[in-house]
Amino acid sequence: FAALLLVSSPELSRWARCTMSEIPCLFFIVLANLFYWRWYSSSKARFIWIAFGFATVAFFCRVTAAGVLPAWFFMLAVERSWKRLFSVHLILSALLFLVVGGAWTKFAASFARHEVRNSIWERLVDSMSMDNITVWIANLPNMVGWGPLLVAIIAFSPIAIEWGKRARVFFLLWFS
């Protein structure tokens, strides 16, 4: 809940209104992850529908929010939770997300001549560059500093050692 408190702070809200669509996107994707985790823990169908609802709002804020959703399915596959992975509510809510997201993308693309590319092939070729990975490895210490990077590594070590509930939550939020 600390992440929700952070992204709803007055200063971040002020910036989100005028310049940074990532902030409301982050707010809604964190909410989506919380409800996804509630669904995972309780198997109550309403939570997965709420999770996909918040994921859809996050997608409306920033289309890259859709990149979080494969982590939900990947986590179920890693956990070998086949019953949840093939549940009717998960599949239907995901299909509804795809339909609404596809319609939104088609609609929004008509207003964005340079932001949305015409060819999927062009998009795939551009994303296959090794620069996408190496730029973060090379520049992360300079961007955040060595102190926070070392603290993150130290904080990650107990999670890496103990693969339990904390590790699954970390895994889910890491892809966010």
Side-chain angles (χ1 to χ4, degrees):
F1 293 100
L4 293 175
L5 184 62
L6 172 69
V7 296
S8 64
S9 67
E11 187 63 25
L12 286 178
S13 297
R14 185 176 71 82
W15 276 96
R17 280 192 1 221
C18 59
T19 58
M20 298 183 69
S21 60
E22 292 89 350
I23 294 172
C25 174
L26 176 65
F27 178 79
F28 288 112
I29 207 64
V30 168
L31 269 176
N33 279 333
L34 287 173
F35 279 98
Y36 171 82
W37 187 252
R38 293 279 310 266
W39 170 75
Y40 181 81
S41 301
S42 69
S43 295
K44 293 183 180 175
R46 70 175 178 265
F47 292 132
I48 195 64
W49 286 99
I50 295 170
F52 270 101
F54 282 127
T56 303
V57 175
F59 182 78
F60 290 159
C61 295
R62 191 105 178 137
V63 295
T64 54
V68 173
L69 302 181
W72 293 358
F73 295 95
F74 186 67
M75 180 182 154
L76 292 173
V78 166
E79 291 286 320
R80 291 186 164 90
S81 185
W82 307 120
K83 186 177 179 182
R84 284 190 185 102
L85 185 61
F86 296 110
S87 75
V88 173
H89 292 285
L90 178 67
I91 292 170
L92 289 177
S93 57
L95 287 174
L96 182 62
F97 175 85
L98 288 173
V99 168
V100 171
W104 173 257
T105 303
K106 186 76 171 157
F107 171 74
S110 65
F111 297 101
R113 189 179 334 176
H114 301 291
E115 287 83 5
V116 180
R117 298 192 179 137
N118 294 329
S119 165
I120 288 181
W121 177 251
E122 181 183 343
R123 205 173 315 153
L124 285 173
V125 169
D126 286 350
S127 67
M128 289 184 197
S129 167
M130 281 302 288
D131 290 340
N132 289 339
I133 298 170
T134 58
V135 71
W136 293 109
I137 294 169
N139 295 315
L140 192 61
N142 295 331
M143 291 189 305
V144 298
W146 283 102
L149 192 58
L150 290 174
V151 169
I153 291 170
I154 291 168
F156 177 70
S157 7
I159 293 170
I161 294 167
E162 175 200 331
W163 184 256
K165 181 179 178 182
R166 288 185 303 160
R168 289 192 298 262
V169 171
F170 178 80
F171 176 78
L172 177 64
L173 294 176
W174 177 260
F175 281 100
S176 297

